[in-house]
Amino acid sequence: MGFDFEYALSIVPQILKALPTTFLVTVLCCFCAAVLAFAMEFTRRSGRILGYVMRFIIDAIRSTPILAQLYFVFFVLPFYGLTLPPMVVGVLGLSVYYSGYLAEVYKAGIDAIPRGQWDAAKALHLSRWDTISVIIAPQMLRNIAAPMGNYFVSILKATPYLAVIAVPEMLGEAFDIASDTFRYAEPILVVGIIFLSLALVIAQLVRLLEERMQQSLKR
Amino acid sequence: MCSSITDKTEVQNAVTISELSKFYGEFEALKHIDLEVTQGERVVVCGPSGSGKSTLIRCINGLETFQSGGLEIFGEAAGGKRNGKTDPRHKTGMVFQNFNLFPHMTVLDNCTLSPRKHKRGTRDKLDALALEVLDKVKIKDQADKYPSQLSGGQQQRVAIARALCMEPEILLFDEPTSALDPEMINEVLDVMVQVANEGNTMICVTHEMGFARKVADRVVFMDAGEIVEIAKPEDFFSTPKTDRAAEFLSQVL
Ligand SMILES: Nc1ncnc2c1ncn2[C@@H]1O[C@H](COP(=O)(O)OP(=O)(O)OP(=O)(O)O)[C@@H](O)[C@H]1O
Ligand SMILES: [Mg+2]
């Protein structure tokens, strides 16, 4: 059974039907994870007790398999009366999982900011929120644009996990086709190429963003 | 602002430090410091490295907490920790050794940020005010540049302008010329002299003895976390009362 190019082309539209879902999940997760990680990282830095609690939560998120987390929300929570649509569970699960990693990236990005920046903000009597939002966050983002972009690509690549909780994303779609026709090479290759193209687009966008942010330093 | 609180005829204290002690863990960085600075007074703090000069002025504006003793700003008690919007430390402005300008903001934005966040006026008004101050430190033409495009001396003048834009009642300087190349020291000192002559209350950590002679009302000499000697500059430089001060002067002069 050789590779059938014509067949490969013919299944593209069917797989692309799931593209909007994959795209939506990716965008939502990138956004939610980025915001959640921000809140988590600054909570970790705020108080002593709150900081320890948050550190534990972040470590716990990063030390459990993503599938376990997804199964937990999807199968265990309904047992206690909380049933959420698969899409919501998926976005929630992936966002929380990656927020743990992004919080670590943020931490590195903040640690790289000289202490004098915090001192100056304090000496100018800025509130904590102003310090974070106007002084620290912009410099942090500039420090971490590249690793953050990597995690955005990771989030894209993690969307197939959602197949296990019945979210109709692309790899799941490809698998459905494969199990109907018993031809695996074509659907898997097609879906691989689509993922590759999307990842390249994200990487390029991040690079452009990074260059723009670096400019204020280079000038 | 609170000039009417005391009805005495003598000048009011801008800063009153009493029995202030500061620990880093077990290490006592400031030992029972007593110091009064009156309004409009210019005080130069000097002393060997590690003597606690930075720690002292960082305590005054709350960058460091202290464990015991008292600190008053214009008669208002400021505790060991910061205390929200009403904290009297809001009357202080500070200039750092390493400038600490915000690299992602233009010179003008660096200067207007704090006044804007404290709602001191409309953006136009604050911009105009900042430009006036930048003009005073002779760097108005660089207002739209970023700090990294400026020389060290220029950056420090911007930092002084940024502090002035808060219209602080007490100005703190921590070795403002120590990180500068020698040829840039004077342009910054000139600005500091000018600021001093405008009647601002200033506490300035510096080893620039020429500056101290020119503007200081008093020199505070610190060693090992203590204030060892307080004297008028002419007395301090010609006839230091303590051996420690004499030894220090022999090294820096
Ligand atoms: N964050 C800190 N943790 C522990 N010890 C500290 C800390 N900051 C300062 N110290 C110690 O406190 C003492 C006073 O430090 P400080 O920076 O006030 O000295 P200084 O007089 O400003 O010296 P320099 O002229 O080198 O700036 C030093 O012995 C220093 O090692
Ligand atoms: Mg110092």
Side-chain angles (χ1 to χ4, degrees):
Chain A
M1 199 160 76
F3 187 87
D4 186 341
F5 192 74
E6 220 166 288
Y7 172 62
L9 274 183
S10 73
I11 57 173
V12 168
Q14 202 180 337
I15 292 176
L16 281 183
K17 266 200 310 206
L19 178 62
T21 306
T22 297
F23 184 76
L24 185 68
V25 168
T26 304
V27 170
L28 283 177
C29 287
C30 287
F31 179 78
C32 294
V35 173
L36 198 61
F38 194 78
M40 290 189 337
E41 178 53 22
F42 282 100
T43 307
R44 174 158 64 176
R45 283 169 185 271
S46 59
R48 222 179 242 155
I49 294 170
L50 215 57
Y52 281 126
V53 172
M54 195 40 85
R55 193 198 298 179
F56 174 78
I57 292 174
I58 291 172
D59 287 346
I61 289 172
R62 295 192 308 137
S63 328
T64 42
I66 184 167
L67 273 178
Q69 291 178 20
L70 284 173
Y71 281 144
F72 182 84
V73 183
F74 195 64
F75 293 113
V76 180
L77 288 189
F79 191 73
Y80 296 98
L82 184 67
T83 310
L84 299 167
M87 185 78 175
V88 175
V89 174
V91 170
L92 200 76
L94 283 190
S95 301
V96 168
Y97 183 76
Y98 279 97
S99 66
Y101 286 91
L102 278 176
E104 290 296 305
V105 173
Y106 289 179
K107 177 178 187 302
I110 296 167
D111 288 344
I113 298 172
R115 211 186 85 139
Q117 294 289 304
W118 295 90
D119 284 351
K122 227 175 175 185
L124 289 168
H125 315 295
L126 298 182
S127 68
R128 184 168 167 78
W129 172 247
D130 286 339
T131 305
I132 289 171
S133 62
V134 186
I135 308 298
I136 301 302
Q139 297 189 63
M140 171 195 86
L141 285 176
R142 199 170 55 191
N143 289 344
I144 61 165
M148 206 171 157
N150 288 342
Y151 275 109
F152 287 168
V153 173
S154 294
I155 289 176
L156 166 72
K157 291 189 300 177
T159 52
Y161 279 118
L162 302 196
V164 302
I165 54 169
V167 172
E169 54 67 57
M170 286 193 300
L171 187 63
E173 197 65 38
F175 246 82
D176 287 348
I177 298 170
S179 46
D180 283 348
T181 60
F182 300 107
R183 300 189 66 106
Y184 283 85
E186 292 85 357
I188 303 294
L189 189 79
V190 167
V191 87
I193 290 172
I194 299 175
F195 268 110
L196 177 66
S197 334
L198 284 175
L200 288 176
V201 170
I202 296 181
Q204 192 57 35
L205 283 177
V206 169
R207 199 163 302 141
L208 285 175
L209 201 71
E210 197 186 356
E211 268 165 27
R212 270 199 55 185
M213 284 195 291
Q214 294 295 350
Q215 255 161 21
S216 65
L217 264 192
K218 278 193 208 127
R219 260 186 296 218
Chain B
M1 210 177 263
C2 23
S3 53
S4 58
I5 289 179
T6 49
D7 52 7
K8 288 175 243 161
T9 45
E10 66 197 71
V11 206
Q12 195 190 1
N13 271 358
V15 180
T16 312
I17 297 168
S18 46
E19 281 289 300
L20 187 148
S21 291
K22 158 79 186 172
F23 290 84
Y24 287 113
E26 296 280 283
F27 176 72
E28 192 170 10
L30 294 177
K31 302 170 186 166
H32 304 280
I33 298 286
D34 285 301
L35 179 67
E36 295 186 5
V37 178
T38 54
Q39 187 166 17
E41 195 180 15
R42 280 88 36 119
V43 173
V44 160
V45 181
C46 63
S49 181
S51 56
K53 307 177 298 288
S54 298
T55 308
L56 177 62
I57 68 166
R58 289 168 62 89
C59 279
I60 294 175
N61 77 343
L63 285 179
E64 299 286 350
T65 58
F66 51 87
Q67 281 72 26
S68 68
L71 165 66
E72 286 178 12
I73 312 276
F74 289 103
E76 277 182 75
K81 293 219 170 86
R82 286 201 163 219
N83 177 27
K85 278 210 154 65
T86 57
D87 196 302
R89 278 172 282 229
H90 277 211
K91 293 171 184 147
T92 62
M94 181 153 175
V95 176
F96 299 88
Q97 182 172 354
N98 296 314
F99 330 137
N100 296 345
L101 294 174
F102 303 129
H104 57 299
M105 293 181 195
T106 63
V107 164
L108 188 64
D109 284 340
N110 264 278
C111 291
T112 56
L113 175 66
S114 186
R116 264 189 284 135
K117 292 297 177 188
H118 290 92
K119 306 210 166 30
R120 292 282 188 87
T122 64
R123 182 141 201 165
D124 287 346
K125 186 191 142 203
L126 295 175
D127 279 356
L129 199 95
L131 285 171
E132 230 170 82
V133 177
L134 284 169
D135 194 27
K136 196 158 74 182
V137 302
K138 299 178 190 68
I139 200 150
K140 190 181 175 188
D141 48 335
Q142 316 278 1
D144 293 324
K145 289 200 178 164
Y146 285 84
S148 60
Q149 298 169 285
L150 305 180
S151 73
Q154 291 174 319
Q155 290 191 46
Q156 192 60 300
R157 283 185 281 142
V158 171
I160 293 172
R162 179 175 72 175
L164 289 174
C165 282
M166 283 293 290
E167 302 181 323
E169 297 182 45
I170 302 165
L171 270 168
L172 308 169
F173 292 81
D174 190 4
E175 304 207 33
T177 56
S178 308
L180 296 175
D181 293 335
E183 72 271 18
M184 297 174 181
I185 290 179
N186 279 330
E187 66 185 58
V188 172
L189 287 179
D190 287 348
V191 166
M192 287 171 59
V193 170
Q194 191 186 333
V195 170
N197 289 338
E198 284 170 2
N200 295 293
T201 308
M202 278 171 72
I203 303 174
C204 184
V205 177
T206 182
H207 291 159
E208 292 295 332
M209 294 309 157
F211 173 79
R213 276 179 208 274
K214 204 182 282 179
V215 305
D217 298 304
R218 285 187 298 161
V219 175
V220 172
F221 173 70
M222 290 183 72
D223 191 18
E226 295 171 315
I227 293 183
V228 177
E229 193 168 331
I230 303 182
K232 291 198 175 309
E234 53 272 27
D235 300 337
F236 180 72
F237 292 119
S238 55
T239 49
K241 285 183 287 239
T242 58
D243 292 344
R244 282 198 271 182
E247 194 195 325
F248 170 75
L249 283 172
S250 72
Q251 282 161 7
V252 298
L253 288 182

